[in-house]
Amino acid sequence: MPKRDKRLVSYNMSRIKGKNTSIEKILRHALTQAGYRYRVNDPSLPGHPDIVFKKAKIAIFCDGDFFHGYDFPKIDAQLKTNKEFWEKKILTNQERDRKEDQELVEMGYLVLHFWEHEIRNDLGKVVSTIEDTLYRRNQEKEEEEGEEETEI
């Protein structure tokens, strides 16, 4: 296999975005079409979740299969160049994701992660999961508010 030009690899890597990725856009479009309103990449929250429902306290992340390590053993076996770098990068990403999830949970948020392949291959199921979760969270909130009123 011919050696890759470092400048070309560097250029290609610089084109990979951290926000407004294609999978985020697909999911946001579907949620907007379904009539939902949400915040995008909220900088006030750990990890800047891709989609946030503030009132329901739900944070959603759209995780790329490669960069977040879906089926890591398979990815690891396919890595041909710079294997140690990518192993460390993906494992660090996973560790950071867990830390940020824990911080969000401590703030009272429910954290949902959806893989790239789930969004691309079964968008309806992803949207349905979000809708069900929103419904449950809103029901819980109404019950809590009802309990507070009866205590007064």
Side-chain angles (χ1 to χ4, degrees), residues 106-143:
E106 289 169 5
M107 294 171 69
Y109 276 83
L110 177 67
V111 181
L112 300 175
H113 285 266
F114 295 102
W115 290 106
E116 174 182 1
H117 69 272
E118 292 176 309
I119 294 168
R120 291 191 190 283
N121 300 334
D122 203 352
L123 182 60
K125 183 178 178 187
V126 171
V127 171
S128 179
T129 300
I130 293 169
E131 288 176 329
D132 292 347
T133 305
L134 278 166
Y135 178 77
R136 281 197 319 274
R137 291 290 279 200
N138 287 331
Q139 290 296 107
E140 291 168 6
K141 190 174 181 179
E142 287 176 13
E143 288 173 11

Coordinates of all heavy atoms in Angstrom, one line a residue, residues 106-143:
E106 N -25.5 14.2 37.8 CA -25.5 14.9 39.1 C -26.3 16.3 39.1 O -26.7 16.7 40.1 CB -24.0 15.2 39.5 CG -23.4 13.9 39.9 CD -21.9 14.0 40.1 OE1 -21.3 15.1 40.0 OE2 -21.2 13.0 40.4
M107 N -26.4 16.8 37.9 CA -27.2 18.1 37.7 C -28.7 17.8 37.5 O -29.5 18.7 37.3 CB -26.6 18.8 36.5 CG -25.2 19.4 36.6 SD -24.5 20.0 35.1 CE -25.5 21.5 34.9
G108 N -29.0 16.5 37.5 CA -30.4 16.1 37.3 C -30.9 15.8 35.9 O -32.0 15.6 35.6
Y109 N -29.9 15.7 35.0 CA -30.2 15.4 33.6 C -30.2 13.9 33.3 O -29.5 13.1 34.0 CB -29.2 16.1 32.7 CG -29.5 17.5 32.4 CD1 -29.1 18.5 33.2 CD2 -30.1 17.9 31.2 CE1 -29.4 19.8 33.0 CE2 -30.4 19.2 30.9 CZ -30.0 20.1 31.8 OH -30.4 21.5 31.6
L110 N -31.1 13.5 32.4 CA -31.1 12.2 31.9 C -30.3 12.3 30.6 O -30.5 13.1 29.8 CB -32.5 11.7 31.6 CG -32.7 10.4 30.9 CD1 -32.2 9.3 31.9 CD2 -34.1 10.1 30.5
V111 N -29.3 11.4 30.4 CA -28.4 11.4 29.3 C -28.7 10.3 28.3 O -28.8 9.1 28.8 CB -26.9 11.3 29.8 CG1 -26.0 11.4 28.6 CG2 -26.6 12.4 30.8
L112 N -28.9 10.6 27.1 CA -29.2 9.6 26.0 C -28.0 9.7 25.0 O -27.6 10.8 24.6 CB -30.5 9.9 25.3 CG -31.8 9.9 26.2 CD1 -33.0 10.3 25.3 CD2 -32.0 8.5 26.8
H113 N -27.5 8.6 24.6 CA -26.5 8.5 23.5 C -27.1 7.7 22.4 O -27.7 6.6 22.6 CB -25.2 7.8 24.0 CG -24.4 8.7 24.9 ND1 -23.4 9.4 24.4 CD2 -24.4 8.9 26.2 CE1 -22.8 10.1 25.4 NE2 -23.4 9.7 26.5
F114 N -26.9 8.2 21.2 CA -27.4 7.4 20.0 C -26.2 7.3 19.1 O -25.5 8.3 18.8 CB -28.5 8.1 19.3 CG -29.8 8.1 20.1 CD1 -30.2 9.3 20.8 CD2 -30.5 7.0 20.3 CE1 -31.3 9.3 21.5 CE2 -31.7 7.0 21.0 CZ -32.1 8.2 21.7
W115 N -25.9 6.1 18.6 CA -24.8 5.8 17.7 C -25.2 6.3 16.3 O -26.3 6.3 15.9 CB -24.5 4.3 17.6 CG -23.9 3.8 18.9 CD1 -24.5 3.1 19.9 CD2 -22.6 4.0 19.4 NE1 -23.6 2.8 20.9 CE2 -22.4 3.4 20.6 CE3 -21.5 4.7 18.9 CZ2 -21.2 3.4 21.3 CZ3 -20.3 4.8 19.6 CH2 -20.2 4.1 20.8
E116 N -24.1 6.6 15.6 CA -24.3 7.1 14.2 C -25.1 6.1 13.4 O -26.0 6.5 12.6 CB -22.9 7.2 13.6 CG -22.8 7.6 12.1 CD -21.4 7.6 11.6 OE1 -20.4 7.4 12.3 OE2 -21.3 7.9 10.4
H117 N -24.8 4.8 13.5 CA -25.5 3.8 12.7 C -27.0 3.7 13.1 O -27.8 3.4 12.2 CB -24.8 2.4 12.7 CG -24.9 1.8 14.0 ND1 -24.0 2.0 15.0 CD2 -25.8 0.9 14.5 CE1 -24.3 1.2 16.1 NE2 -25.4 0.6 15.8
E118 N -27.3 4.0 14.3 CA -28.7 4.0 14.8 C -29.5 5.1 14.1 O -30.6 4.9 13.6 CB -28.8 4.1 16.3 CG -28.3 2.9 17.1 CD -28.4 3.2 18.6 OE1 -27.9 4.2 19.0 OE2 -28.9 2.3 19.3
I119 N -28.9 6.3 14.1 CA -29.5 7.4 13.5 C -29.7 7.3 12.0 O -30.7 7.5 11.4 CB -28.7 8.7 13.8 CG1 -28.8 9.0 15.3 CG2 -29.2 9.9 13.1 CD1 -27.8 10.0 15.8
R120 N -28.7 6.8 11.4 CA -28.7 6.6 9.9 C -29.7 5.4 9.5 O -30.4 5.6 8.5 CB -27.3 6.3 9.3 CG -26.4 7.5 9.4 CD -25.2 7.2 8.6 NE -24.2 8.3 8.8 CZ -24.2 9.5 8.2 NH1 -25.2 9.8 7.5 NH2 -23.2 10.3 8.5
N121 N -29.7 4.3 10.2 CA -30.4 3.2 9.8 C -31.8 3.0 10.4 O -32.6 2.3 9.9 CB -29.6 1.9 10.1 CG -28.3 1.9 9.4 OD1 -28.1 2.5 8.4 ND2 -27.3 1.2 10.0
D122 N -32.1 3.6 11.6 CA -33.4 3.5 12.2 C -33.8 4.8 12.9 O -34.0 4.8 14.1 CB -33.3 2.3 13.2 CG -34.7 1.7 13.5 OD1 -35.7 2.3 13.0 OD2 -34.8 0.7 14.1
L123 N -33.9 5.8 12.1 CA -34.2 7.2 12.7 C -35.5 7.2 13.4 O -35.7 7.8 14.5 CB -34.2 8.2 11.6 CG -34.4 9.6 12.0 CD1 -33.4 10.1 13.0 CD2 -34.4 10.5 10.7
G124 N -36.5 6.4 12.9 CA -37.8 6.4 13.5 C -37.8 5.9 14.9 O -38.4 6.4 15.8
K125 N -37.0 4.8 15.1 CA -36.8 4.2 16.5 C -36.1 5.2 17.4 O -36.5 5.3 18.6 CB -36.0 2.9 16.4 CG -35.9 2.2 17.7 CD -35.1 0.9 17.6 CE -34.9 0.3 18.9 NZ -34.1 -0.9 18.8
V126 N -35.1 5.9 16.9 CA -34.4 6.9 17.7 C -35.4 8.0 18.2 O -35.5 8.4 19.3 CB -33.2 7.5 17.0 CG1 -32.6 8.7 17.7 CG2 -32.2 6.4 16.7
V127 N -36.2 8.6 17.2 CA -37.1 9.6 17.5 C -38.2 9.1 18.5 O -38.6 9.8 19.4 CB -37.8 10.2 16.2 CG1 -38.9 11.1 16.5 CG2 -36.7 10.9 15.4
S128 N -38.6 7.9 18.3 CA -39.6 7.3 19.2 C -39.1 7.2 20.6 O -39.8 7.4 21.6 CB -40.1 5.9 18.6 OG -41.0 5.3 19.5
T129 N -37.9 6.8 20.7 CA -37.2 6.6 22.0 C -37.2 8.0 22.7 O -37.5 8.1 23.9 CB -35.8 6.1 21.9 OG1 -35.9 4.8 21.3 CG2 -35.1 6.0 23.2
I130 N -36.8 9.0 22.0 CA -36.8 10.4 22.5 C -38.2 10.9 22.9 O -38.4 11.4 24.0 CB -36.1 11.4 21.5 CG1 -34.6 11.0 21.3 CG2 -36.2 12.8 22.0 CD1 -34.0 11.7 20.2
E131 N -39.2 10.6 22.1 CA -40.5 11.0 22.4 C -41.0 10.3 23.6 O -41.6 10.9 24.5 CB -41.5 10.7 21.2 CG -41.3 11.6 20.0 CD -42.1 11.2 18.8 OE1 -42.4 10.0 18.6 OE2 -42.5 12.1 18.1
D132 N -40.8 9.0 23.8 CA -41.2 8.3 25.0 C -40.5 8.8 26.2 O -41.1 8.9 27.3 CB -40.9 6.8 24.8 CG -41.7 6.1 23.7 OD1 -42.7 6.7 23.3 OD2 -41.3 4.9 23.3
T133 N -39.2 9.1 26.1 CA -38.5 9.6 27.2 C -39.0 11.0 27.6 O -39.2 11.3 28.8 CB -37.0 9.7 26.9 OG1 -36.5 8.4 26.5 CG2 -36.2 10.1 28.1
L134 N -39.3 11.9 26.7 CA -39.8 13.2 27.0 C -41.2 13.0 27.7 O -41.5 13.7 28.6 CB -40.0 14.0 25.7 CG -38.8 14.7 25.1 CD1 -39.0 15.2 23.7 CD2 -38.4 15.9 26.1
Y135 N -42.0 12.1 27.2 CA -43.3 11.9 27.8 C -43.2 11.5 29.2 O -43.8 12.0 30.1 CB -44.1 10.9 27.0 CG -45.5 10.6 27.6 CD1 -46.5 11.5 27.4 CD2 -45.7 9.4 28.3 CE1 -47.8 11.2 28.0 CE2 -46.9 9.1 28.8 CZ -48.0 10.0 28.7 OH -49.2 9.8 29.2
R136 N -42.3 10.5 29.5 CA -42.1 10.0 30.8 C -41.6 11.1 31.8 O -42.0 11.2 32.9 CB -41.1 8.8 30.8 CG -41.8 7.5 30.4 CD -41.0 6.3 30.8 NE -39.5 6.4 30.6 CZ -38.9 6.2 29.5 NH1 -39.6 5.7 28.4 NH2 -37.6 6.3 29.4
R137 N -40.6 11.9 31.3 CA -40.0 12.9 32.1 C -41.1 14.0 32.4 O -41.1 14.5 33.5 CB -38.8 13.6 31.4 CG -37.6 12.7 31.3 CD -36.9 12.5 32.6 NE -36.1 13.6 32.9 CZ -35.1 13.5 33.8 NH1 -34.8 12.4 34.4 NH2 -34.4 14.6 34.1
N138 N -41.9 14.3 31.5 CA -43.0 15.3 31.7 C -44.0 14.8 32.7 O -44.5 15.5 33.5 CB -43.6 15.8 30.4 CG -42.7 16.6 29.6 OD1 -41.9 17.4 30.1 ND2 -42.8 16.6 28.3
Q139 N -44.3 13.5 32.6 CA -45.2 12.9 33.5 C -44.7 12.9 35.0 O -45.4 13.3 35.9 CB -45.5 11.4 33.2 CG -46.4 11.3 31.9 CD -47.8 11.9 32.1 OE1 -48.1 12.9 31.5 NE2 -48.6 11.2 32.8
E140 N -43.4 12.6 35.1 CA -42.7 12.6 36.4 C -42.8 14.0 37.0 O -43.0 14.2 38.2 CB -41.3 12.1 36.3 CG -41.1 10.7 36.0 CD -39.7 10.3 35.6 OE1 -38.8 11.1 35.6 OE2 -39.5 9.1 35.2
K141 N -42.5 15.0 36.1 CA -42.5 16.4 36.6 C -43.8 16.8 37.1 O -44.0 17.5 38.1 CB -42.0 17.3 35.4 CG -41.7 18.7 35.9 CD -41.1 19.5 34.7 CE -40.8 20.9 35.2 NZ -40.2 21.7 34.1
E142 N -44.9 16.5 36.3 CA -46.3 16.8 36.7 C -46.6 16.1 38.0 O -47.3 16.8 38.9 CB -47.3 16.4 35.6 CG -47.2 17.3 34.4 CD -48.1 16.8 33.3 OE1 -49.0 15.9 33.6 OE2 -48.0 17.3 32.2
E143 N -46.2 14.9 38.2 CA -46.5 14.2 39.5 C -45.8 14.9 40.7 O -46.4 15.1 41.7 CB -46.0 12.7 39.4 CG -46.9 11.9 38.5 CD -46.4 10.5 38.3 OE1 -45.4 10.1 39.0 OE2 -46.9 9.8 37.4

